[in-house]
């Protein structure tokens, strides 16, 4: 039986996972609002630098660790971090314009495609075992994505190509993040560097595309930064209380909020093909998570029988 403290941790983790979906959906909604009026640098120059500043402030907060308060943003994987930074910048901009060109809820299907693609890429990139179930899950997810085009490929537009490119770049960023996580304990560095680079790159482009902004829109941009940082922070907290295979399916609640925001804020009403596609994507993700859990349990049983130790982590770059 789970004790009172364990039950509290589980409930807390579930609450944080749900809160993450609300926060990230709110940030995505602000992205869509800005994408209808402004170019990408208008939002990301300010928000990227604000998120980086928040990382610095949190990193300097008092801790129980001896030896001072400043933990720094050092990384043992500078090359992989550079790959993550570049992929994050390009992927963020691609999703920005995908939100401008596609209905809000449709973008979810491309977001849900990222963990499926990452599962397959983890084989050649991370040396992880990729079974037939992972391929089957991606195939099911592809069918879900195809539901967006009931009239055939002739209905595919620029927004769909941009969103697919964004999903590919998001996959690269996720794989890089998982690799870095093998060596770096300070996960905040993975938030700091991509957002600092995003803010600086967008600031360089800002003079060429700047459109005067009202105080209200500046506040919305600051709100976007706060929501994004809070969402990342809450997700890390949730993963400390619950295993990733529990948190991952809960993140699919984001589709519910995106549909609700699409209806309330943007007046969009998804057709049945969007609900069908999202259902298949969610099912594919759940199947993939279940397969991952079974693989981990099987590996643990084999290790327990043989008494083998877990393989040592290879040296970093």
């Amino acid at each position: 039986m789970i004790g009172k403290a364990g039950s509290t941790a589980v409930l807390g983790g579930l609450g944080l996972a749900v809160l993450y979906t609300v926060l990230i959906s709110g940030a995505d909604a602000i992205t869509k609002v800005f994408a209808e009026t402004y170019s990408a640098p208008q939002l990301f120059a300010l928000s990227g630098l604000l998120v980086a500043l928040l990382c610095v402030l949190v990193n300097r907060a008092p801790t129980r660790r001896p030896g001072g308060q400043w933990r720094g943003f050092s990384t043992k994987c500078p090359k992989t971090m550079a790959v993550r930074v570049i992929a994050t910048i390009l992927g963020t901009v691609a999703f920005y314009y995908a939100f401008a060109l596609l209905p809000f809820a449709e973008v979810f299907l491309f977001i849900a495609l990222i963990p499926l693609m990452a599962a397959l890429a983890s084989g050649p990139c991370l040396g992880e075992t990729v079974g037939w179930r992972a391929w089957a899950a991606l195939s099911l997810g592809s069918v879900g994505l195809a539901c967006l085009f009931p009239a055939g490929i002739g209905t595919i537009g620029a927004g769909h190509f941009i969103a697919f490119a964004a999903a590919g770049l998001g996959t690269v960023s996720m794989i890089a993040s998982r690799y870095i996580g093998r060596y770096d304990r300070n996960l905040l560095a993975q938030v700091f560097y991509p957002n600092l680079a995003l803010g600086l790159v967008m600031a360089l482009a800002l003079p060429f595309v700047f459109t005067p902004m009202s105080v209200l829109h500046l506040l919305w941009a600051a709100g976007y930064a706060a929501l994004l940082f809070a969402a990342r922070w809450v997700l890390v907290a949730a993963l400390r209380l619950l295993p990733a295979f529990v948190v991952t399916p809960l993140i699919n609640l984001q589709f519910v909020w995106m549909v609700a925001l699409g209806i309330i804020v943007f007046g969009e009403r998804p057709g049945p093909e969007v609900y069908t596609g999202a259902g298949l994507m969610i099912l594919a993700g759940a199947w993939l998570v279940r397969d991952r859990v079974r693989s981990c349990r099987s590996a643990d049983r084999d290790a327990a029988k043989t008494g083998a130790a877990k393989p040592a982590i290879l040296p970093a770059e």
Side-chain angles (χ1 to χ4, degrees), residues 52-61 70 73:
L53 176 61
L54 289 171
C55 290
V56 172
L57 294 177
V58 169
N59 218 27
R60 293 187 65 89
W70 177 249
F73 294 108

Side-chain angles (χ1 to χ4, degrees), residues 79-90:
K79 295 179 182 178
T80 309
M81 184 67 79
V83 171
R84 173 168 164 77
V85 165
I86 294 171
T88 299
I89 292 173
L90 296 177

Side-chain angles (χ1 to χ4, degrees), residues 70-71 89 158 164 182 272 286 317:
W70 177 249
R71 289 168 290 179
I89 292 173
F164 186 79
R182 291 179 173 181
E317 299 166 3

Side-chain angles (χ1 to χ4, degrees), residues 100-196:
L101 296 171
L102 296 177
F104 199 44
E106 285 191 16
V107 181
F108 168 83
L109 274 70
F110 292 91
I111 295 174
L113 189 63
I114 294 176
L116 301 180
M117 295 171 65
L120 294 182
S122 64
C125 296
L126 301 177
E128 298 176 356
T129 302
V130 179
W132 66 268
R133 291 183 181 86
W135 286 101
L138 182 63
S139 300
L140 184 61
S142 300
V143 173
L145 198 63
C147 289
L148 287 178
F149 319 110
I153 60 175
T155 57
I156 298 177
H160 299 108
F161 285 111
I162 293 174
F164 186 79
L169 291 163
T171 301
V172 173
S173 180
M174 179 179 284
I175 289 294
S177 176
R178 287 174 59 183
Y179 180 85
I180 295 168
R182 291 179 173 181
Y183 308 100
D184 289 350
R185 292 186 176 273
N186 184 8
L187 300 179
L188 204 57
Q190 294 200 46
V191 181
F192 173 74
Y193 287 114
N195 281 283
L196 177 63

Side-chain angles (χ1 to χ4, degrees), residues 112 114-120 129 131-138 140 174 178 239 242-252 280-298:
I114 294 176
L116 301 180
M117 295 171 65
L120 294 182
T129 302
W132 66 268
R133 291 183 181 86
W135 286 101
L138 182 63
L140 184 61
M174 179 179 284
R178 287 174 59 183
L239 290 171
L242 291 176
F245 66 81
V246 176
V247 174
T248 303
L250 291 173
I251 292 177
N252 287 322
L280 291 174
M281 297 294 287
I282 291 171
L283 179 60
W287 188 9
L288 194 63
V289 169
R290 183 173 179 272
D291 178 57
R292 182 65 176 171
V293 173
R294 292 179 60 183
S295 298
C296 290
R297 287 177 178 173
S298 177

